[in-house]
Amino acid sequence: MAEQHDQHRDYRSGKYTGCNKEWYDRLRATKESWKKISEQRVHPNRGIPVHVKAGQVMRSILPEGSNIIDVWFFEEGIKDTAGEQYDPVITAALEGFICRKNSRLWSNLPYSRPMATYIDDNIDPALLPDEHHWPVWHGGHCAPEWNQAGYIILEHASCHTNALEALLLAGYDWQMAEALASTHNMCIFQPMGVTDQQMDAGHISPTWHNVPSHLKPGTFVDYYAEMDLFVPISHCPYGDQSGPPHEADHYPVDIEIWDTGIQPQERPPWTDWRPAFKARLDRLKAKGHKGATGRYYGDD
């Protein structure tokens, strides 16, 4: 019997998306020579803008107690929502739903390249309930609408509004800040797993399943910037996930930027398919051709 085809396995192989683990091993081995260039604190119920240059590491640290942060990754200087930004669907297809060491955050089409790589942490797996849960994952963010739906609380801090504050502090006007805050983010220090859950509609479906975080002060996660990044960060009002946002204990999170002195690897460029595709559309339009065509853009 022929082996079942798995296109996602195919995507993960080869020079375009394959991970050079040895390169990241060498990068981690230089940690003693890294230089700290800045540090900021994300206070409870606030958001801050962070800028990270290619070759630098953004370290998130729990100084006092466990608290989630929601993190957006954009190209530095992003002008609108069509700009380069983290894409959780592409990332999950290539790296899996839960982030682990050496997993990368991929950007949206048509860019589709690593933006940052998860290169280190000191997370103690014994503090997590099972192998399904890990506190770095591709997640959405809470918003006033979610807080109202779940707890009938109004005008309470949320990751969405904290991100909005970070974007406004970075100089974006309200309209653009709100648009960018509505895009995808990932989460740090939030233990999540993908397990079967009973839905209110009656069916069972694999979905996100959270547990309280027992991560200790001093826990950190390092992301290496593969390009110049603008990173809004939100302090999550759900704290350590042990209770609803209006009852949870809140702790600050520190953000440090370290210069590794090592620039990212060069990546092979994608082929620009637009000229051939546009030419094909023009030919089909001129012919009035509306039926099936060949597999390749040169085949009409």
Side-chain angles (χ1 to χ4, degrees):
M1 183 176 179
E3 183 179 359
Q4 183 174 346
H5 178 65
D6 182 350
Q7 63 263 38
H8 291 289
R9 182 185 58 199
D10 292 343
Y11 298 155
R12 292 192 297 268
S13 65
K15 68 178 182 178
Y16 287 99
T17 64
C19 179
N20 185 340
K21 293 184 288 294
E22 293 77 15
W23 191 91
Y24 292 105
D25 288 340
R26 293 193 294 271
L27 173 63
R28 281 185 285 270
T30 68
K31 183 178 286 192
E32 293 300 319
S33 67
W34 298 356
K35 293 184 172 66
K36 187 195 293 188
I37 61 173
S38 69
E39 54 186 341
Q40 298 183 70
R41 175 157 287 190
V42 193
H43 291 285
N45 305 310
R46 301 300 301 272
I48 64 169
V50 174
H51 300 272
V52 193
K53 291 187 178 298
Q56 294 179 347
V57 165
M58 185 185 81
R59 177 171 296 163
S60 307
I61 310 171
L62 298 176
E64 299 174 12
S66 191
N67 205 102
I68 303 161
I69 54 173
D70 287 50
V71 185
W72 285 251
F73 286 84
F74 298 114
E75 62 175 325
E76 182 64 87
I78 188 169
K79 297 291 193 297
D80 54 50
T81 55
E84 191 166 8
Q85 60 194 278
Y86 156 69
D87 188 306
V89 176
I90 293 174
T91 302
L94 297 176
E95 310 287 341
F97 283 104
I98 302 293
C99 300
R100 299 280 183 161
K101 200 177 294 185
N102 289 333
S103 60
R104 297 155 294 175
L105 301 179
W106 287 77
S107 61
N108 55 320
L109 295 172
Y111 314 100
S112 196
R113 58 177 174 164
M115 302 185 76
T117 301
Y118 180 0
I119 60 165
D120 207 4
D121 64 52
N122 63 348
I123 294 167
D124 182 357
L127 300 176
L128 301 166
D130 55 49
E131 70 277 7
H132 296 295
H133 290 84
W134 196 253
V136 187
W137 66 288
H138 317 299
H141 55 273
C142 65
E145 291 79 5
W146 290 109
N147 291 338
Q148 182 175 348
Y151 308 103
I152 317 300
I153 55 175
L154 306 179
E155 300 182 356
H156 190 284
S158 70
C159 286
H160 185 80
T161 51
N162 293 340
L164 187 56
E165 178 185 28
L167 287 152
L168 293 169
L169 287 172
Y172 289 92
D173 63 29
W174 180 273
Q175 183 177 8
M176 186 52 59
E178 198 160 35
L180 292 174
S182 298
T183 60
H184 299 291
N185 63 280
M186 53 85 62
C187 302
I188 299 178
F189 306 130
Q190 183 173 7
M192 299 291 285
V194 180
T195 57
D196 285 344
Q197 298 291 305
Q198 179 74 48
M199 299 291 110
D200 289 344
H203 63 286
I204 294 175
S205 179
T207 189
W208 301 117
H209 176 219
N210 64 275
V211 294
S213 174
H214 300 295
L215 300 175
K216 302 299 184 184
T219 301
F220 73 86
V221 172
D222 282 351
Y223 266 96
Y224 173 81
E226 305 282 359
M227 55 185 285
D228 290 351
L229 297 170
F230 166 51
V231 186
I233 299 178
S234 164
H235 183 281
C236 181
Y238 283 77
D240 65 359
Q241 250 174 187
S242 61
H246 56 298
E247 297 176 2
D249 292 329
H250 295 160
Y251 297 96
V253 177
D254 289 336
I255 305 297
E256 298 177 349
I257 305 300
W258 292 76
D259 188 2
T260 69
I262 298 173
Q263 287 298 297
Q265 307 165 83
E266 290 189 12
R267 288 188 46 76
W270 294 112
T271 298
D272 187 357
W273 49 267
R274 293 169 188 79
F277 181 69
K278 291 176 180 177
R280 175 191 224 182
L281 292 181
D282 289 341
R283 292 194 305 273
L284 294 175
K285 182 178 180 179
K287 296 176 181 178
H289 186 356
K290 297 181 180 179
T293 63
R295 296 175 187 268
Y296 297 94
Y297 300 150
D299 300 335
D300 295 346

